[in-house]
Amino acid sequence: MATLWPTLTVADVDASLAFYSDKLGFKSDLRLQDDDGKTFLGSVEVGETVIMFESPDPKDPPDASRGVRSGVKLTICLPETNDIDAFYTELRGKDVSIACEIGDRFWGNRDFTVCDPDGYHLIIARPIRE
């Protein structure tokens, strides 16, 4: 089976790694630095998913569609056994920016959305138990 590893272009890879590992509790996996010690590529793991973070390539033209304007949203689906309400409360206590409050959705998920430091939206979801 194929695996998808999304790569997000971010302003500060270290800040993204800190947010996803320290605030969200994902496992920090990779951190590559250039000769000046600046991190240009990093990743975190959540379950079997890897989320990559990269610095903008200085050779690329400025792109106003990056970050919050990109339309990119990532959804992390937790197992039914996870207490999504406790996780939501924990993140609120860590001052994580909540873009969409927790709730049951008609399509069968209980979810909420957080914003990362670059404005990307991360939907934390769990199937509603029948």
Side-chain angles (χ1 to χ4, degrees), residues 42-63:
S43 68
V44 295
E45 293 179 7
V46 55
E48 294 186 28
T49 300
V50 175
I51 304 172
M52 307 287 294
F53 308 101
E54 68 176 0
S55 296
D57 187 328
K59 296 176 282 195
D60 289 343
D63 184 357

Side-chain angles (χ1 to χ4, degrees), residues 44-93:
V44 295
E45 293 179 7
V46 55
E48 294 186 28
T49 300
V50 175
I51 304 172
M52 307 287 294
F53 308 101
E54 68 176 0
S55 296
D57 187 328
K59 296 176 282 195
D60 289 343
D63 184 357
S65 68
R66 286 197 173 118
V68 72
R69 294 173 299 279
S70 72
V72 172
K73 292 182 182 180
L74 302 176
T75 301
I76 302 293
C77 295
L78 303 174
E80 287 183 20
T81 55
N82 280 53
D83 187 346
I84 194 169
D85 292 277
F87 189 42
Y88 172 80
T89 301
E90 176 187 336
L91 296 183
R92 289 199 64 96

Side-chain angles (χ1 to χ4, degrees), residues 108-124:
N109 283 343
R110 180 162 182 78
D111 66 38
F112 62 95
T113 304
V114 301
C115 289
D116 81 358
D118 288 275
Y120 289 108
H121 286 187
L122 183 66
I123 302 164
I124 309 294

